Short mmCIF file of all heavy atoms in Angstrom, two decimals:
data_model
loop_
_atom_site.label_atom_id
_atom_site.label_comp_id
_atom_site.label_asym_id
_atom_site.label_seq_id
_atom_site.Cartn_x
_atom_site.Cartn_y
_atom_site.Cartn_z
N LEU T 1 -123.90 28.48 150.06
CA LEU T 1 -125.09 29.32 150.02
C LEU T 1 -125.32 29.83 148.61
O LEU T 1 -124.39 30.26 147.93
CB LEU T 1 -124.93 30.51 150.96
CG LEU T 1 -124.75 30.21 152.45
CD1 LEU T 1 -124.37 31.48 153.18
CD2 LEU T 1 -126.03 29.62 153.02
N VAL T 2 -126.56 29.78 148.18
CA VAL T 2 -126.90 30.27 146.85
C VAL T 2 -128.31 30.85 146.88
O VAL T 2 -129.19 30.32 147.57
CB VAL T 2 -126.76 29.16 145.79
CG1 VAL T 2 -127.72 28.01 146.08
CG2 VAL T 2 -126.99 29.71 144.39
N GLN T 3 -128.52 31.91 146.15
CA GLN T 3 -129.83 32.52 146.08
C GLN T 3 -130.76 31.69 145.22
O GLN T 3 -130.34 31.06 144.25
CB GLN T 3 -129.72 33.94 145.53
CG GLN T 3 -131.01 34.74 145.61
CD GLN T 3 -130.81 36.20 145.22
OE1 GLN T 3 -129.80 36.56 144.63
NE2 GLN T 3 -131.77 37.03 145.57
N ALA T 4 -132.02 31.69 145.58
CA ALA T 4 -133.01 30.98 144.79
C ALA T 4 -132.94 31.42 143.34
O ALA T 4 -132.84 32.62 143.04
CB ALA T 4 -134.41 31.21 145.35
N GLY T 5 -133.00 30.44 142.45
CA GLY T 5 -132.88 30.72 141.03
C GLY T 5 -131.47 30.58 140.51
O GLY T 5 -131.26 30.54 139.29
N GLY T 6 -130.52 30.50 141.40
CA GLY T 6 -129.14 30.39 141.02
C GLY T 6 -128.71 28.96 140.77
O GLY T 6 -129.52 28.03 140.80
N SER T 7 -127.42 28.79 140.55
CA SER T 7 -126.86 27.49 140.23
C SER T 7 -125.69 27.16 141.14
O SER T 7 -125.03 28.05 141.70
CB SER T 7 -126.38 27.45 138.77
OG SER T 7 -127.46 27.65 137.87
N LEU T 8 -125.43 25.89 141.25
CA LEU T 8 -124.32 25.40 142.05
C LEU T 8 -123.92 24.05 141.50
O LEU T 8 -124.77 23.28 141.04
CB LEU T 8 -124.74 25.27 143.51
CG LEU T 8 -123.67 25.23 144.60
CD1 LEU T 8 -122.90 26.54 144.63
CD2 LEU T 8 -124.32 24.95 145.94
N MET T 9 -122.64 23.75 141.52
CA MET T 9 -122.19 22.45 141.09
C MET T 9 -121.47 21.74 142.22
O MET T 9 -120.52 22.27 142.80
CB MET T 9 -121.25 22.53 139.88
CG MET T 9 -120.92 21.16 139.30
SD MET T 9 -119.95 21.22 137.77
CE MET T 9 -118.34 21.62 138.43
N LEU T 10 -121.92 20.54 142.52
CA LEU T 10 -121.30 19.72 143.53
C LEU T 10 -120.36 18.72 142.86
O LEU T 10 -120.62 18.25 141.75
CB LEU T 10 -122.35 18.95 144.33
CG LEU T 10 -123.46 19.77 144.98
CD1 LEU T 10 -124.37 18.85 145.79
CD2 LEU T 10 -122.87 20.87 145.85
N SER T 11 -119.29 18.40 143.55
CA SER T 11 -118.34 17.43 143.05
C SER T 11 -118.16 16.32 144.06
O SER T 11 -118.29 16.53 145.26
CB SER T 11 -116.98 18.08 142.77
OG SER T 11 -117.08 19.09 141.79
N CYS T 12 -117.85 15.15 143.57
CA CYS T 12 -117.59 14.00 144.43
C CYS T 12 -116.37 13.29 143.89
O CYS T 12 -116.32 12.94 142.71
CB CYS T 12 -118.80 13.07 144.45
SG CYS T 12 -118.54 11.52 145.34
N THR T 13 -115.40 13.09 144.76
CA THR T 13 -114.17 12.42 144.38
C THR T 13 -114.11 11.06 145.04
O THR T 13 -114.32 10.94 146.24
CB THR T 13 -112.95 13.25 144.80
OG1 THR T 13 -113.00 14.53 144.18
CG2 THR T 13 -111.66 12.55 144.38
N ALA T 14 -113.79 10.05 144.26
CA ALA T 14 -113.67 8.68 144.76
C ALA T 14 -112.21 8.32 144.96
O ALA T 14 -111.34 8.77 144.21
CB ALA T 14 -114.33 7.69 143.81
N SER T 15 -111.96 7.50 145.96
CA SER T 15 -110.60 7.14 146.31
C SER T 15 -110.06 5.95 145.53
O SER T 15 -108.89 5.60 145.68
CB SER T 15 -110.52 6.82 147.81
OG SER T 15 -111.30 5.69 148.13
N THR T 16 -110.88 5.35 144.70
CA THR T 16 -110.47 4.14 143.99
C THR T 16 -110.28 4.39 142.50
O THR T 16 -111.01 5.16 141.88
CB THR T 16 -111.50 3.02 144.20
OG1 THR T 16 -111.09 1.86 143.47
CG2 THR T 16 -112.88 3.43 143.72
N ARG T 17 -109.32 3.66 141.93
CA ARG T 17 -109.10 3.73 140.50
C ARG T 17 -110.07 2.81 139.74
O ARG T 17 -110.06 2.81 138.51
CB ARG T 17 -107.66 3.34 140.16
CG ARG T 17 -106.61 4.32 140.69
CD ARG T 17 -106.80 5.71 140.08
NE ARG T 17 -106.73 5.70 138.62
CZ ARG T 17 -105.60 5.79 137.92
NH1 ARG T 17 -104.43 5.90 138.56
NH2 ARG T 17 -105.63 5.78 136.60
N THR T 18 -110.86 2.04 140.49
CA THR T 18 -111.88 1.22 139.88
C THR T 18 -113.22 1.93 139.88
O THR T 18 -114.27 1.30 139.81
CB THR T 18 -112.02 -0.13 140.61
OG1 THR T 18 -112.38 0.09 141.98
CG2 THR T 18 -110.71 -0.90 140.55
N PHE T 19 -113.18 3.23 139.93
CA PHE T 19 -114.36 4.09 139.96
C PHE T 19 -115.34 3.75 138.85
O PHE T 19 -116.56 3.80 139.04
CB PHE T 19 -113.91 5.54 139.87
CG PHE T 19 -115.03 6.54 139.75
CD1 PHE T 19 -115.79 6.88 140.85
CD2 PHE T 19 -115.30 7.15 138.53
CE1 PHE T 19 -116.82 7.81 140.75
CE2 PHE T 19 -116.31 8.08 138.42
CZ PHE T 19 -117.06 8.41 139.53
N SER T 20 -114.82 3.41 137.68
CA SER T 20 -115.67 3.16 136.53
C SER T 20 -116.55 1.93 136.69
O SER T 20 -117.48 1.73 135.90
CB SER T 20 -114.83 3.03 135.26
OG SER T 20 -113.94 1.94 135.35
N LYS T 21 -116.31 1.11 137.69
CA LYS T 21 -117.15 -0.06 137.95
C LYS T 21 -118.43 0.29 138.69
O LYS T 21 -119.33 -0.54 138.77
CB LYS T 21 -116.38 -1.10 138.76
CG LYS T 21 -115.16 -1.68 138.05
CD LYS T 21 -114.49 -2.72 138.93
CE LYS T 21 -113.28 -3.32 138.25
NZ LYS T 21 -112.62 -4.33 139.11
N TYR T 22 -118.49 1.49 139.22
CA TYR T 22 -119.60 1.86 140.09
C TYR T 22 -120.58 2.80 139.44
O TYR T 22 -120.21 3.78 138.80
CB TYR T 22 -119.06 2.50 141.37
CG TYR T 22 -118.21 1.57 142.19
CD1 TYR T 22 -116.82 1.61 142.09
CD2 TYR T 22 -118.79 0.66 143.06
CE1 TYR T 22 -116.03 0.76 142.83
CE2 TYR T 22 -118.00 -0.20 143.81
CZ TYR T 22 -116.62 -0.15 143.69
OH TYR T 22 -115.85 -1.00 144.43
N ASN T 23 -121.85 2.49 139.65
CA ASN T 23 -122.88 3.46 139.40
C ASN T 23 -122.79 4.50 140.51
O ASN T 23 -122.50 4.17 141.66
CB ASN T 23 -124.26 2.80 139.42
CG ASN T 23 -124.34 1.64 138.46
OD1 ASN T 23 -124.32 1.82 137.25
ND2 ASN T 23 -124.45 0.43 139.00
N MET T 24 -123.04 5.74 140.17
CA MET T 24 -122.90 6.82 141.14
C MET T 24 -124.18 7.63 141.21
O MET T 24 -124.95 7.69 140.24
CB MET T 24 -121.73 7.73 140.78
CG MET T 24 -120.38 7.03 140.69
SD MET T 24 -119.84 6.36 142.28
CE MET T 24 -119.66 7.88 143.24
N GLY T 25 -124.39 8.25 142.34
CA GLY T 25 -125.59 9.04 142.48
C GLY T 25 -125.52 10.03 143.62
O GLY T 25 -124.50 10.17 144.28
N TRP T 26 -126.64 10.70 143.81
CA TRP T 26 -126.77 11.70 144.86
C TRP T 26 -128.07 11.51 145.61
O TRP T 26 -129.13 11.28 145.01
CB TRP T 26 -126.72 13.12 144.28
CG TRP T 26 -125.41 13.47 143.66
CD1 TRP T 26 -125.03 13.25 142.37
CD2 TRP T 26 -124.32 14.12 144.30
NE1 TRP T 26 -123.75 13.71 142.17
CE2 TRP T 26 -123.29 14.25 143.33
CE3 TRP T 26 -124.09 14.60 145.59
CZ2 TRP T 26 -122.07 14.85 143.62
CZ3 TRP T 26 -122.88 15.19 145.89
CH2 TRP T 26 -121.89 15.31 144.90
N PHE T 27 -127.98 11.60 146.92
CA PHE T 27 -129.13 11.67 147.80
C PHE T 27 -129.03 12.96 148.59
O PHE T 27 -127.97 13.58 148.65
CB PHE T 27 -129.16 10.48 148.77
CG PHE T 27 -129.73 9.22 148.17
CD1 PHE T 27 -129.01 8.47 147.26
CD2 PHE T 27 -131.00 8.77 148.53
CE1 PHE T 27 -129.52 7.32 146.71
CE2 PHE T 27 -131.52 7.61 147.99
CZ PHE T 27 -130.79 6.88 147.08
N ARG T 28 -130.12 13.35 149.19
CA ARG T 28 -130.10 14.53 150.02
C ARG T 28 -131.01 14.33 151.23
O ARG T 28 -131.93 13.52 151.20
CB ARG T 28 -130.52 15.78 149.24
CG ARG T 28 -131.97 15.77 148.78
CD ARG T 28 -132.25 16.98 147.88
NE ARG T 28 -133.63 17.03 147.45
CZ ARG T 28 -134.11 17.91 146.58
NH1 ARG T 28 -133.30 18.84 146.06
NH2 ARG T 28 -135.39 17.89 146.24
N GLN T 29 -130.74 15.11 152.26
CA GLN T 29 -131.56 15.03 153.46
C GLN T 29 -131.66 16.40 154.12
O GLN T 29 -130.64 17.04 154.38
CB GLN T 29 -131.00 14.02 154.45
CG GLN T 29 -131.91 13.76 155.64
CD GLN T 29 -131.52 12.54 156.43
OE1 GLN T 29 -130.38 12.09 156.39
NE2 GLN T 29 -132.47 11.97 157.14
#
């Protein structure tokens, strides 16, 4: 939860050591 105007940082951890091979992104719904 965050108030309008505020900030938040999301993190995503990958299970593979070949992470650098992948383009990464975010979707929302």
Side-chain angles (χ1 to χ4, degrees):
L1 298 171
V2 61
Q3 188 172 16
S7 298
L8 200 64
M9 187 174 76
L10 306 182
S11 299
C12 174
T13 301
S15 64
T16 178
R17 294 299 302 274
T18 60
F19 174 76
S20 62
K21 296 181 180 179
Y22 297 97
N23 305 291
M24 302 295 296
W26 295 88
F27 279 74
R28 66 186 182 185
Q29 188 166 23

